[in-house]
Structure formats: C-alpha cells, structure tokens
Amino acid sequence: MTPENPSPLAARLDGLLFFPVTPFGPDGGLDLDAFRAHVRSGIDAGAAAVFACCGTGEFHALTPEEFHACVAAAVAEAAGRVPVVAGAGYGTALAVQYARLAEDAGADGLLALPPYLVVADQEGLLRHYTALAAATSLDVIVYQRDNAVLTPATAVELARIDKIIGLKDGVGDLDLMQRIVSTVRREAPGHALLYFNGLPTAELTGPAYRAIGVTLYSSAVFCFAPDIALAFHRALADGDDATVNRLLDGFFVPLVELRNQGRGYAVSLVKAGVRLSGLDVGEVRPPLSEPDAAHVKQLAALIERGRALLAEDGPVRDRAGA
C-alpha cells in the first residue's frame, strides 16, 4: 500500500472489528438465517468491519460451499455499510481457492490464516503470501501466529507488495512487534501497513499494544456483549484509564481466566455467549467441543457483572460519541 496506490479497504478499517461465529442447526448443517441475523445485529451495534469465516467463525470446519455462502451472506447484510473480510487458509493452493471464492462472493479483502500443519521458513512464508496476494484483486491482511511468525525483514518484503495492507499479530511478543513496526517504517518508507492486535481477548493487551501504535483489534466479546466491548474500545481511544482499568479488572481479566479453563474456549465459549444473548447459533463442530455447563453459567454471571460495571459510569456512548 503506497500513497500512489492507496487501499480503499485500509481507509475503512477504523473502529472495532467484528468476527462473527458461524451458526449450525440441530442437524449440524449451516444455519444461514442465524448467521445473517448475527451479522446484522453486529453491524447495527456499531461494528467497523465484518471478518467472516475466520478463527471465531470456525473456518477450519467449513466446506468451500459453506464458506462461499457465509461470505456472500455477510456481504449482503453489510450492503456496503462496512467492509467484509474473509478468511483464507490451508496450503497455498487451497488458500488461493478460498481467496477466489471470497472474491466471487463479493468480499472486500482477505485475512490470510497460517498455512496448514507445516512449519515453513521465512522464504516459504513470503512465497505463500505473495502467491495469495497475486491470486485475486483483494487486499490481504497477514495473520501471524503459531507456525507463521514473521521476522522484521520478511515484514518489510510483504509491506512492499501493494495488495498486502496489514499484519495481524496473534503471537503477543511486543518486542517483536515493535521491531517489525520500526523496521517497516525505516526500510519501507511509503509502504504503510496496518497493524492489528489479534490475541484471543485483545482487550487484555489493548493498552500495551496501543503504546507501540497498534490500535486496531478484533473483539470476541463484541459477538455476545457489544455494549461492553464498545465501552472499552471508546474508553481506550479516549484515554479514559479509569473505565479501562475498571473493565479490565472486573470483566476482561476474569473472562480470560475463564477462557483458559478449556481447550478451544476462544471459540466455543464465545459461541455459548452468543446463545446466552438470545440467538441460537448451535454448537461448535468437531474437533472442538462444547464448554462445561458450569463455565457457561460463570460466563452468564460475568456478562451481568460487566454490564453492572458499565452502569457505574452512565450509558454507553455510540461510535460517534453521542
């Protein structure tokens, strides 16, 4: 992304990012009506963008046909109000196929999930993301985590590819992120990247990431308690440390402690939270499993506690600050 070749998608990614869950019916099949309702409610609540069929949306569990249907449904519900970004993963050949499906469905961009299974070197990662960027007209955000962690030098090479517009960090190594941000700024002038905090409950590390200039993040809490997520986002942007700390101490830290009680809870507990909000989105698909019933009860109590904390400081303001 250069000043001569600006990215329309990058210009629109300003606010809280919504990663909807993917609903399944009692028979295990895709429930598009529930998905549409979930996406619609998130946009109406103030989401700045919809990231469909990504990690929280169980990309790993969807067939290509289901993936296309969900992305198309998200695009239809967004109706141009906010951008829609779709996940694309697995090996290079399959990632390219998913990218083309997303383009056909009308997506505005791609979130490049880590390659499947293999642990590639930096040259291999660079070849993978370069091929993905060349496969469609869509802009690409690279998601670094697990087996796909970039060096600052590789980040510079990716920044020089016009259609690669961002880097989402799911590692949590602030030393590495600072070096990436500084190196790209120094060695790739005129090739800006957007940076995203992509940790499972990003609010917990929001203040730390913000200190190194990483202000964009995805909020899993937004899926089931958008009022709490938006209140925190506004307080963080406004420098309202009292509200940030109150929500961190009373809601987000206990939520992370609860999330850490089970494997896969970064997805399954979020889906349980959406059901608690009144929308039946079904269960997670294997190999994930449902959270323990006692943990779901704890989540319900925690959501009530979070809303009580909001009440201590008056009504939540909307995105415009009204």
Side-chain angles (χ1 to χ4, degrees):
M1 182 174 61
T2 68
E4 296 78 23
N5 185 27
S7 164
L9 174 60
R12 300 178 70 193
L13 292 174
D14 182 20
L16 198 55
L17 310 177
F18 175 33
F19 281 60
V21 303
T22 301
F24 303 119
D27 63 353
L30 183 64
D31 187 342
L32 273 180
D33 288 340
F35 180 74
R36 283 178 173 271
H38 185 41
V39 170
R40 185 166 58 250
S41 67
I43 295 172
D44 290 344
V50 175
F51 282 65
C53 305
C54 296
T56 309
E58 297 180 78
F59 171 83
H60 68 276
L62 300 176
T63 67
E65 295 78 14
E66 291 172 330
F67 171 86
H68 185 276
C70 281
V71 175
V75 169
E77 289 298 332
R81 291 180 290 165
V82 298
V84 174
V85 178
Y90 303 119
T92 306
L94 276 176
V96 164
Q97 287 187 22
Y98 277 95
R100 290 172 177 162
L101 287 171
E103 184 177 42
D104 182 74
D108 298 288
L110 301 169
L111 178 64
L113 304 172
Y116 172 70
L117 193 60
V118 297
V119 179
D121 61 15
Q122 294 296 298
E123 180 183 356
L125 291 173
L126 183 58
R127 291 175 60 200
H128 174 76
Y129 296 121
T130 300
L132 188 58
T136 74
S137 64
L138 302 179
D139 289 328
V140 178
I141 299 164
V142 173
Y143 190 3
Q144 76 159 3
R145 57 176 291 173
D146 301 324
N147 61 328
V149 181
L150 307 177
T151 64
T154 302
V156 167
E157 292 303 312
L158 292 176
R160 290 173 175 156
I161 300 171
D162 286 342
K163 282 193 293 181
I164 294 182
I165 66 166
L167 175 63
K168 180 180 180 182
D169 179 53
V171 178
D173 184 340
L174 291 177
D175 176 276
L176 173 61
M177 277 304 296
Q178 181 65 75
R179 288 186 288 117
I180 286 175
V181 170
S182 294
T183 305
V184 170
R185 185 167 54 224
R186 183 179 67 247
E187 298 186 13
H191 294 268
L193 282 178
L194 296 177
Y195 297 101
F196 305 77
N197 175 356
L199 292 175
T201 303
E203 286 89 350
L204 197 66
T205 52
Y209 272 87
R210 195 171 189 84
I212 61 170
V214 180
T215 59
L216 291 167
Y217 65 89
S218 53
S219 173
V221 170
F222 186 87
C223 286
F224 57 84
D227 50 345
I228 299 173
L230 286 167
F232 181 88
H233 184 268
R234 172 64 63 183
L236 188 62
D238 288 351
D240 180 359
D241 292 342
T243 298
V244 166
N245 291 335
R246 185 170 68 252
L247 289 173
L248 282 174
D249 297 348
F251 177 78
F252 286 104
V253 168
L255 177 64
V256 169
E257 291 171 347
L258 178 59
R259 185 200 71 208
N260 291 344
Q261 294 300 306
R263 290 188 178 273
Y265 272 21
V267 177
S268 63
L269 198 67
V270 173
K271 210 163 192 179
V274 179
R275 293 196 300 268
L276 288 171
S277 75
L279 181 62
D280 186 0
V281 291
E283 299 184 349
V284 291
R285 279 180 173 172
L288 297 179
S289 57
E290 286 298 294
D292 185 88
H295 292 156
V296 176
K297 288 183 179 179
Q298 290 179 44
L299 176 61
L302 191 54
I303 294 169
E304 289 186 12
R305 182 180 179 185
R307 291 193 168 124
L309 292 171
L310 295 186
E312 293 179 12
D313 196 38
V316 180
R317 290 177 293 175
D318 62 21
R319 285 175 59 200

